[in-house]
Amino acid sequence: MTGDKRRGRSRRLKAAAAVVGCILVLAAAGAGWAYWHLNQNIRSVDIDSALGDDRPARAPVTVPTAAPSASESPSASASPLPTGVLNILVLGSDSRSGSENSALGGGDSTGARSDTAMVVHLDADRTKATVVSIPRDTLVTRPSCPTPSGGTTPTTYGAMFNSAYAVGGPVCAVKTVERLTGVRMDHYIEIDFAGFAGLVDALGGVTVTTTQDIDDDSSHLHLDAGTHRLDGTQALAFARTRHGIGDGSDLGRIKLQQQLVAALLKEAGKTDLLTDPAALYKMADAVTGSLTTDTGLDSLGELRGLAQSLGAIPATGLTTVTMPVVAAPSDPNRVVAQEPAASTLWESLR
């Protein structure tokens, strides 16, 4: 690989860290009102308190103890980034609360589901990251979950995976993923329709290529085979499309979503987000206004730390996979985890 290509990949990875953290430059600058505004945008859920101790064990966390080099500033070495295995549940929800989300997805605010679910795993030494997509049509055992009113939901067998969010919100989504995987979710990040569309628009759109026509009335996306420049609304429809693609299952949609993520990272690598605070603020405002996290990530400083941690991962260290599944015996339109392959995958993330 040439030096130019290596530098290009490195730049795209750094831009990706800014996209994930949403606030890398602004947080570092502490830009007064803008910083306060973005901080207030973020909503959070206290998942640790809600779930208590009935969870998989948390992976050990270590803090680097090596002395800073002569080139490091005191501020850079004062708070070394923690290392250790980190697992983050990232959900794209079709929550329809608010006029923007309603216009983009239709329906009402009581019908929210987790349309996209990914477990982002960071290796202990921050040299590798694995992103595992979980098909929303997977049949799972949905555990009993606490509700905001103080009650609990019943344990349900053979439930669709995305129903956990619908009946119990982020807390039940996390508990269901932990029950399915046996892996502790250290953090939770959720972005809704408006936030995703706003992110794409802030980047000026994304370019995708499809090898077949897409004609999906459900997602309102109609594209001829070929290369297209998508705005935020179209990109959201692309991420939600499943009908008319492949066998019409969620697995086809996941492939489109993974293609879209790659297109977003490529677009971020071509922009000046890292040197253009105005562009970064526009993107950060769109995203944080539609962001829900656990209480461990509910501030710009905490998100910045995550972004910096991600920035340590080399461009060649990112792997995207889908949880191994097979058709469910009870319903050919649903899937179940394929064993032992699924368990082997989750074991590798502990």
Side-chain angles (χ1 to χ4, degrees), residues 235-302:
L236 177 63
F238 190 84
R240 300 179 63 225
T241 289
R242 64 185 294 179
H243 302 291
I245 294 294
D247 60 3
S249 74
D250 195 42
L251 299 180
R253 173 163 53 190
I254 286 174
K255 289 181 180 179
L256 293 182
Q257 291 170 349
Q258 292 174 341
Q259 180 186 353
L260 187 59
V261 168
L264 278 169
L265 297 184
K266 182 177 180 179
E267 199 63 42
K270 295 191 302 184
T271 67
D272 292 323
L273 285 176
L274 296 178
T275 57
D276 187 347
L280 184 59
Y281 176 80
K282 180 181 178 182
M283 180 194 69
D285 192 35
V287 175
T288 57
S290 302
L291 197 68
T292 301
T293 72
D294 67 286
T295 50
L297 285 178
D298 62 355
S299 73
L300 295 184
E302 288 160 336

Side-chain angles (χ1 to χ4, degrees), residues 42-186:
I42 304 168
R43 298 181 295 273
S44 65
V45 178
D46 192 348
I47 290 173
D48 285 343
S49 293
L51 294 183
D53 296 327
D54 184 21
R55 307 177 65 184
R58 191 187 298 274
V61 176
T62 59
V63 176
T65 56
S69 66
S71 61
E72 289 180 321
S73 66
S75 59
S77 60
S79 300
L81 294 173
T83 60
V85 170
L86 197 66
N87 291 293
I88 306 165
L89 176 60
V90 179
L91 292 186
S93 78
D94 68 351
S95 172
R96 279 74 177 258
S97 59
S99 58
E100 289 181 274
N101 283 318
S102 179
L104 288 167
D108 56 56
S109 61
T110 61
R113 298 162 298 179
S114 52
D115 263 12
T116 303
M118 299 178 179
V119 174
V120 179
H121 169 85
L122 306 183
D123 278 8
D125 59 3
R126 298 297 190 269
T127 60
K128 295 180 182 179
T130 304
V131 179
V132 184
S133 296
I134 302 176
R136 55 171 283 182
D137 292 341
T138 305
L139 298 183
V140 301
T141 297
R142 191 181 69 223
S144 176
C145 299
T147 63
S149 62
T152 58
T153 64
T155 299
T156 304
Y157 300 94
M160 274 186 59
F161 169 75
N162 71 331
S163 69
Y165 184 94
V167 303
V171 170
C172 199
V174 169
K175 189 169 184 179
T176 300
V177 170
E178 292 184 342
R179 168 67 172 76
L180 172 67
T181 66
V183 177
R184 172 74 169 245
M185 295 297 110
D186 301 290

